[in-house]
Amino acid sequence: MTSAPGSPEPSLPEVRRVRPEDAARMRALRLEMLADAPLAFLETIADAAARPHAEYAARIAATSAGAAIAQFVADPGGRFVGHAGGTVSPSEPGLTVVYAVYVTPAWRGSGVLADLVDAVAAWSRACGRPELMMEVVVGNDRAYRAYQRLGFVDTGVRVPHPTVPVLTELQMRRPA
């Protein structure tokens, strides 16, 4: 985000792991994510909107602690403006799969994306997993370039999109 000339730069939001009490704000961000980038995530906005609050609350509680799965949010106070998750790879014990990365449009280009990925990376290292991997829809050049700037490298691996058969995803990796 930019400021008017002569005004102080806005501070970046706090990036932290979700807490159980974040369920309502996380649900609001999830619905925004799905409305803004429906092909980037594994569920539809209709499915997410229909899910009872208790399910969101249970998921947030489950991802707020532990080494198997975690979610991180960018919290400027009020509405969350970014999210990134990480989960252990069942086939590669030293790998964290980064998932559901999103920055609300007004905060893109502000450094929030780097802070979210850094939070996942720090958690991954603390859990003994020295590498990150993510999948990006082929053709999503904006995301691809953003992840390259953060040190991710295209591995050349292509996989079918898990929910939209006509799409392909590419895998990118970097050290945690």
Side-chain angles (χ1 to χ4, degrees):
M1 301 191 67
T2 58
S3 297
S7 66
E9 286 295 315
S11 61
L12 288 176
E14 174 190 13
V15 172
R16 61 170 175 80
R17 193 161 184 180
V18 294
R19 299 186 284 249
E21 61 269 21
D22 293 332
R25 291 195 296 162
M26 191 57 228
R27 182 175 193 207
L29 182 63
R30 181 69 178 173
L31 295 174
E32 177 187 327
M33 293 162 66
L34 293 167
D36 185 52
L39 297 179
F41 307 105
L42 301 182
E43 70 179 332
T44 67
I45 193 168
D47 289 342
R51 185 172 305 112
H53 178 74
E55 283 186 35
Y56 277 94
R59 177 159 175 89
I60 296 307
T63 61
S64 68
I69 188 168
Q71 291 186 45
F72 297 87
V73 291
D75 183 4
R79 191 172 179 95
F80 292 151
V81 298
H83 174 274
T87 188
V88 64
S89 168
S91 60
E92 291 184 59
L95 179 70
T96 290
V97 177
V98 181
Y99 70 92
V101 179
Y102 179 79
V103 175
T104 198
W107 284 87
R108 291 178 186 157
S110 69
V112 169
L113 176 64
D115 290 349
L116 286 162
V117 171
D118 286 348
V120 175
W123 170 77
S124 183
R125 288 189 309 271
C127 295
R129 295 187 299 270
E131 189 174 18
L132 302 177
M133 187 274 287
M134 64 171 31
E135 295 174 343
V136 179
V137 172
V138 171
N140 186 346
D141 296 334
R142 182 191 55 161
Y144 181 81
R145 287 189 305 271
Y147 298 134
Q148 279 186 315
R149 285 191 295 274
L150 297 179
F152 284 90
V153 175
D154 187 340
T155 66
V157 175
R158 302 295 183 262
V159 295
H161 189 281
T163 60
V164 184
V166 298
L167 297 177
T168 301
E169 293 186 317
L170 59 90
Q171 290 184 354
M172 300 181 83
R173 291 183 181 231
R174 74 161 235 203

